[in-house]
Coordinates of all heavy atoms in Angstrom, one line a residue:
D110 N -10.7 4.4 16.4 CA -12.0 5.1 16.3 C -12.4 5.3 14.8 O -13.5 5.1 14.4 CB -12.0 6.5 17.0 CG -11.8 6.4 18.5 OD1 -12.2 5.5 19.1 OD2 -11.2 7.4 19.0
R111 N -11.4 5.7 14.0 CA -11.7 5.9 12.6 C -12.0 4.7 11.8 O -13.0 4.6 11.0 CB -10.5 6.6 11.9 CG -10.3 8.0 12.4 CD -9.2 8.8 11.5 NE -7.9 8.1 11.4 CZ -7.0 8.2 12.3 NH1 -7.2 9.0 13.4 NH2 -5.8 7.6 12.2
V112 N -11.3 3.6 12.1 CA -11.6 2.3 11.3 C -12.9 1.7 11.8 O -13.6 1.1 11.0 CB -10.4 1.3 11.3 CG1 -9.2 1.9 10.7 CG2 -10.1 0.8 12.7
R113 N -13.3 1.9 13.1 CA -14.6 1.5 13.5 C -15.7 2.3 12.9 O -16.7 1.7 12.4 CB -14.7 1.6 15.0 CG -14.0 0.4 15.8 CD -14.3 0.6 17.3 NE -13.7 -0.5 18.1 CZ -14.2 -1.7 18.3 NH1 -15.4 -2.0 17.8 NH2 -13.6 -2.6 19.0
A114 N -15.5 3.6 12.8 CA -16.5 4.5 12.2 C -16.7 4.2 10.8 O -17.8 4.3 10.2 CB -16.2 5.9 12.4
A115 N -15.7 3.8 10.1 CA -15.7 3.4 8.7 C -16.3 2.0 8.4 O -16.6 1.7 7.3 CB -14.3 3.5 8.0
G116 N -16.5 1.3 9.5 CA -17.1 0.0 9.4 C -16.2 -1.2 9.1 O -16.6 -2.3 8.9
Y117 N -14.9 -0.9 9.2 CA -13.9 -2.0 9.0 C -13.9 -3.0 10.1 O -14.0 -4.2 9.9 CB -12.5 -1.5 8.7 CG -11.5 -2.6 8.5 CD1 -11.5 -3.3 7.3 CD2 -10.6 -3.0 9.5 CE1 -10.6 -4.3 7.0 CE2 -9.7 -4.0 9.3 CZ -9.7 -4.7 8.0 OH -8.9 -5.7 7.8
V118 N -13.9 -2.5 11.4 CA -13.9 -3.4 12.5 C -15.4 -3.3 13.1 O -15.9 -2.2 13.3 CB -12.9 -2.9 13.6 CG1 -13.1 -3.7 14.9 CG2 -11.5 -3.0 13.1
R119 N -16.0 -4.4 13.2 CA -17.4 -4.5 13.7 C -17.5 -5.2 15.0 O -16.6 -5.9 15.4 CB -18.3 -5.2 12.7 CG -18.3 -4.4 11.3 CD -19.1 -5.2 10.3 NE -18.4 -6.5 9.9 CZ -17.8 -6.7 8.8 NH1 -17.7 -5.8 7.9 NH2 -17.2 -7.9 8.6
D120 N -18.5 -4.9 15.7 CA -18.7 -5.5 17.1 C -18.6 -7.0 17.1 O -18.1 -7.6 18.0 CB -20.0 -5.1 17.7 CG -20.1 -3.6 18.1 OD1 -19.0 -3.0 18.2 OD2 -21.2 -3.0 18.1
G121 N -19.0 -7.7 16.0 CA -19.0 -9.2 16.0 C -17.6 -9.8 15.6 O -17.4 -11.0 15.7
D122 N -16.7 -8.9 15.3 CA -15.4 -9.5 14.9 C -14.7 -10.0 16.1 O -14.5 -9.3 17.1 CB -14.5 -8.3 14.3 CG -15.0 -7.9 12.9 OD1 -15.7 -8.7 12.3 OD2 -14.7 -6.8 12.5
R123 N -14.3 -11.3 16.0 CA -13.6 -11.9 17.2 C -12.2 -11.6 17.3 O -11.6 -11.4 18.4 CB -13.7 -13.4 17.1 CG -15.1 -14.0 17.2 CD -15.1 -15.5 17.1 NE -14.0 -15.9 16.2 CZ -14.1 -16.9 15.4 NH1 -15.2 -17.6 15.2 NH2 -13.0 -17.2 14.6
R124 N -11.5 -11.4 16.1 CA -10.1 -11.1 16.1 C -9.8 -10.1 15.0 O -10.3 -10.3 13.9 CB -9.4 -12.5 15.8 CG -7.9 -12.4 16.1 CD -7.3 -13.8 16.0 NE -5.9 -13.5 15.8 CZ -5.1 -14.1 14.8 NH1 -5.7 -15.0 14.0 NH2 -3.9 -13.8 14.7
W125 N -9.1 -9.1 15.4 CA -8.7 -8.1 14.4 C -7.4 -7.4 14.9 O -7.0 -7.4 16.0 CB -9.9 -7.1 14.2 CG -10.3 -6.4 15.5 CD1 -11.3 -6.9 16.3 CD2 -9.9 -5.2 16.0 NE1 -11.5 -6.0 17.3 CE2 -10.7 -4.9 17.2 CE3 -8.9 -4.2 15.6 CZ2 -10.5 -3.8 18.0 CZ3 -8.8 -3.1 16.4 CH2 -9.5 -2.9 17.6
A126 N -6.8 -6.8 13.9 CA -5.6 -6.0 14.1 C -5.5 -4.8 13.1 O -6.0 -5.0 12.0 CB -4.3 -6.8 14.0
V127 N -5.1 -3.7 13.6 CA -4.9 -2.5 12.7 C -3.6 -1.8 12.9 O -3.1 -1.9 14.0 CB -6.1 -1.5 12.8 CG1 -7.4 -2.2 12.3 CG2 -6.3 -1.0 14.2
G128 N -3.1 -1.1 12.0 CA -1.9 -0.3 12.1 C -2.0 0.8 11.1 O -2.8 0.9 10.2
E129 N -1.1 1.8 11.3 CA -1.1 3.0 10.5 C 0.3 3.5 10.3 O 1.1 3.6 11.2 CB -2.0 4.0 11.2 CG -2.3 5.3 10.4 CD -3.4 6.1 11.0 OE1 -3.1 6.8 12.0 OE2 -4.5 6.1 10.5
N130 N 0.5 4.0 9.0 CA 1.7 4.7 8.7 C 1.3 6.1 8.2 O 0.3 6.2 7.4 CB 2.5 4.0 7.6 CG 3.4 2.9 8.1 OD1 3.5 2.7 9.3 ND2 3.9 2.1 7.2
L131 N 2.0 7.1 8.5 CA 1.7 8.5 8.1 C 3.0 9.1 7.4 O 4.1 8.7 7.8 CB 1.3 9.4 9.2 CG 0.1 9.0 10.1 CD1 0.0 10.0 11.3 CD2 -1.1 8.9 9.3
A132 N 2.8 9.9 6.5 CA 3.9 10.6 5.8 C 3.3 11.9 5.1 O 2.2 11.9 4.7 CB 4.6 9.7 4.9
W133 N 4.2 12.8 4.9 CA 3.9 14.0 4.0 C 5.2 14.4 3.4 O 6.3 14.2 3.9 CB 3.2 15.1 4.7 CG 3.9 15.8 5.8 CD1 3.9 15.6 7.1 CD2 4.8 17.0 5.6 NE1 4.8 16.5 7.8 CE2 5.3 17.4 6.9 CE3 5.2 17.7 4.5 CZ2 6.2 18.4 7.0 CZ3 6.1 18.8 4.6 CH2 6.6 19.1 5.9
G134 N 5.0 15.0 2.2 CA 6.2 15.5 1.5 C 5.8 16.6 0.5 O 4.7 16.6 0.1
K135 N 6.8 17.3 0.1 CA 6.7 18.4 -0.9 C 7.6 18.0 -2.1 O 8.6 17.4 -1.9 CB 7.0 19.7 -0.4 CG 6.1 20.3 0.6 CD 6.5 21.7 1.0 CE 5.5 22.3 2.0 NZ 5.8 23.7 2.3
G136 N 7.2 18.4 -3.3 CA 8.0 18.2 -4.5 C 8.2 16.7 -4.7 O 7.3 15.9 -4.6
N137 N 9.5 16.4 -5.0 CA 9.8 14.9 -5.2 C 9.6 14.1 -4.0 O 9.4 12.9 -4.1 CB 11.3 14.8 -5.7 CG 11.5 15.3 -7.1 OD1 10.6 15.3 -7.9 ND2 12.7 15.7 -7.4
R138 N 9.6 14.7 -2.8 CA 9.4 13.9 -1.6 C 7.9 13.5 -1.4 O 7.6 12.8 -0.5 CB 9.9 14.7 -0.4 CG 11.4 14.9 -0.4 CD 11.9 15.6 0.8 NE 13.3 15.5 0.7 CZ 14.1 16.4 1.3 NH1 13.6 17.4 1.9 NH2 15.4 16.3 1.2
A139 N 7.0 14.0 -2.3 CA 5.6 13.6 -2.2 C 5.3 12.5 -3.1 O 4.1 12.0 -3.0 CB 4.7 14.8 -2.5
K140 N 6.2 12.0 -3.9 CA 5.9 10.9 -4.9 C 5.8 9.6 -4.1 O 6.5 9.4 -3.1 CB 7.0 10.9 -5.9 CG 7.0 12.2 -6.8 CD 8.1 12.1 -7.8 CE 8.1 13.4 -8.6 NZ 9.2 13.4 -9.6
A141 N 5.0 8.7 -4.6 CA 4.8 7.4 -4.0 C 6.1 6.6 -3.7 O 6.3 6.1 -2.6 CB 3.8 6.6 -4.8
A142 N 7.0 6.6 -4.7 CA 8.2 5.8 -4.5 C 9.1 6.4 -3.4 O 9.7 5.7 -2.6 CB 9.0 5.8 -5.8
R143 N 9.1 7.7 -3.3 CA 9.9 8.4 -2.2 C 9.3 8.1 -0.8 O 10.0 7.8 0.2 CB 10.0 9.9 -2.5 CG 10.8 10.6 -1.5 CD 12.3 10.2 -1.6 NE 13.2 11.0 -0.7 CZ 13.8 12.0 -1.1 NH1 13.8 12.5 -2.3 NH2 14.6 12.7 -0.2
I144 N 7.9 8.2 -0.7 CA 7.2 7.9 0.5 C 7.5 6.5 1.0 O 7.8 6.2 2.1 CB 5.7 8.2 0.4 CG1 5.4 9.7 0.1 CG2 4.9 7.7 1.6 CD1 5.7 10.6 1.3
M145 N 7.4 5.6 0.0 CA 7.7 4.2 0.3 C 9.1 3.9 0.8 O 9.3 3.2 1.8 CB 7.4 3.3 -0.9 CG 7.3 1.8 -0.6 SD 5.8 1.5 0.4 CE 6.2 -0.2 0.9

Side-chain angles (χ1 to χ4, degrees):
D110 297 331
R111 290 191 304 276
V112 298
R113 280 185 181 276
Y117 180 75
V118 175
R119 298 175 294 252
D120 290 338
D122 292 337
R123 294 182 328 219
R124 192 169 161 231
W125 55 272
V127 294
E129 184 170 79
N130 282 351
L131 304 176
W133 66 266
K135 291 183 175 188
N137 286 334
R138 293 183 174 153
K140 297 176 181 180
R143 183 66 176 264
I144 294 293
M145 192 68 192

